[in-house]
Each structure stands twice: as C-alpha cells, then as structure tokens.
Amino acid sequence: MTDKRKLIVAAGYDAITQSYLDLVSSMGGSGVREKYLAVIDELVPAGSRILELGCGAGTPMTRALAERYRVAALDISSNQLALAHTIAPAANCMRGDMTLLPMRDGSCAAVAAFYSPTHVPRDEHPSLLTEIRRVLRPQGITVLTMGSADNPDGYDDNWLGAPMFWSHFDGDTNVALVRDAGFEIISEADELEHEYGVPVRFRWIVARRARVRAQDRRRPSRTSFVD
C-alpha cells in the first residue's frame, strides 16, 4: 500500500484506537446502525457469510453481525483489528485494502461497509464497488454508508488526535455509482447522526447484486483467498 491518502487513514486509526472506540460507543443511541442491522437480518438468512469492510474496533456492528452470521471483517488498521479480535472474537478479522478483497468470486451473501467507504479516495470508488459485486453471490446484498455531500479530498490534521483523510461524492452521485456497478437499489436515504454533539449526515444505500456483465466473465481470478 503506497497511496499516501490510505497511509494517512491507516496511521490515523492506529493512533486513535481508544478515542475512536469512545466515539463509536457514544453514538450507540442514534438508532441508525440498529436500523440497518435489522435490514440485514431481514434480507440475509442467518448463518450466511458476510464480509464487513472497515470493521474498526469490532463494535457495535461486527460483534452484532457475528452473533448471527459467519463474518469476515477487514480493516486497514492493525491496532483497530487487535481490538476487534478481542471485542468480536467470533469474526475472522484480517488486515487489507478494501479495493482488493481477498475473497473468492461469489463467496459472500452480503457485504457491509459502515462509514468506511468515505475513507477511500473517491477515484477508487468504482473499483471498490466492482470488488464488492465480484465477491457477492447472485442476488447478494450490500449495505453501504457513503457520503451525502461532495468532498473530493478532505483532510483534518487533528481528528480525535491524529491526521485523517476523507473522500466522497454527493449522495445522488453515489447512488448512480452503485447502480452503474451492477446493483439494484433497494433503498437509499440520508441519515443524521451526531459525533460528540456535531451533526453528521451519510447516505445509506442498500442494494442487491443484479445483472451479469460481460467484464465479469473476462476478469481473471485472484490467486489468494480467504474462505
């Protein structure tokens, strides 16, 4: 991984392990995350394989998913993953770049990315969505927390105590990107939450893997996978 923007994200989350855990714990009363966990429960049968992208410390989403599903959880931060191993021991936690997924084609019933796509440079969002579609089985479900406003290259030199990077399109553009990547939109809505009292808004998108595309048949298989 040589992209400086991704290195900022990895180093930042390594540095803010405890403060980020405090943040996600403080957001527990919003009801938004619980709402979308319920959506997954409704659409994905218990015991299915779910891939979570950007699991962070493993709470509350990874731990909740692992109570019902076989979860593979990926994150770019080693320190966050160390916490996730403890907080969500039933999940298979692994370090990696979410634009290069170590999973077999069609191996997942669902892919969830809660807030994490906003840390991926937006020029890579089409390839991220292509990867998500690749690892989903036919009619598989994805739940994505994406940007609601335009932010090409956001940077804060002291977010929770460390530098951090964000990048995303506006909500309607994100919906179009998901649809263009070969998904059928089930629902999409802006949801408001608060980070230490500061209002933040994200576009939540629930979608189903749809049509087969010619490029999927041409794409070479990967050589290293997590089963």
Side-chain angles (χ1 to χ4, degrees), residues 127-150:
S127 59
L128 166 62
L129 293 168
T130 295
E131 273 290 86
I132 290 173
R133 188 181 185 281
R134 178 185 67 80
V135 303
L136 279 173
R137 65 181 59 167
Q139 300 297 299
I141 299 298
T142 187
V143 178
L144 307 167
T145 316
M146 305 185 79
S148 66
D150 190 69

Side-chain angles (χ1 to χ4, degrees), residues 7-179:
L7 292 173
I8 289 171
V9 174
Y13 274 103
D14 277 346
I16 62 171
T17 306
Q18 185 58 50
S19 56
Y20 182 68
L21 179 60
D22 293 342
L23 172 63
V24 295
S25 299
S26 73
M27 294 172 67
S30 73
V32 175
R33 290 175 294 184
E34 291 81 1
K35 173 181 176 179
Y36 287 93
L37 284 171
V39 168
I40 293 173
D41 284 347
E42 178 182 351
L43 296 174
V44 184
S48 299
R49 173 170 295 167
I50 288 184
L51 172 63
E52 184 189 0
L53 305 180
C55 65
T59 183
M61 307 300 264
T62 314
R63 179 168 54 189
L65 288 172
E67 292 174 356
R68 182 174 170 85
Y69 301 101
R70 294 178 294 131
V71 176
L74 180 143
D75 202 275
I76 200 170
S77 164
S78 298
N79 288 353
Q80 294 292 333
L81 284 171
L83 265 183
H85 277 294
T86 300
I87 293 173
N92 177 16
C93 298
M94 53 191 173
R95 187 172 186 269
D97 182 333
M98 70 176 69
T99 64
L100 297 168
L101 300 178
M103 310 291 288
R104 296 186 183 277
D105 294 2
S107 60
C108 299
V111 176
F114 305 115
Y115 311 99
S116 54
T118 62
H119 290 301
V120 176
R122 74 181 194 176
D123 54 287
E124 295 189 28
H125 285 192
S127 59
L128 166 62
L129 293 168
T130 295
E131 273 290 86
I132 290 173
R133 188 181 185 281
R134 178 185 67 80
V135 303
L136 279 173
R137 65 181 59 167
Q139 300 297 299
I141 299 298
T142 187
V143 178
L144 307 167
T145 316
M146 305 185 79
S148 66
D150 190 69
N151 184 2
D153 290 290
Y155 178 80
D156 188 333
D157 63 4
N158 187 26
W159 186 69
L160 302 181
M164 189 54 65
F165 170 83
W166 297 268
S167 181
H168 48 80
F169 296 99
D170 64 272
D172 291 345
T173 300
N174 287 325
V175 172
L177 285 173
V178 173
R179 185 177 286 115

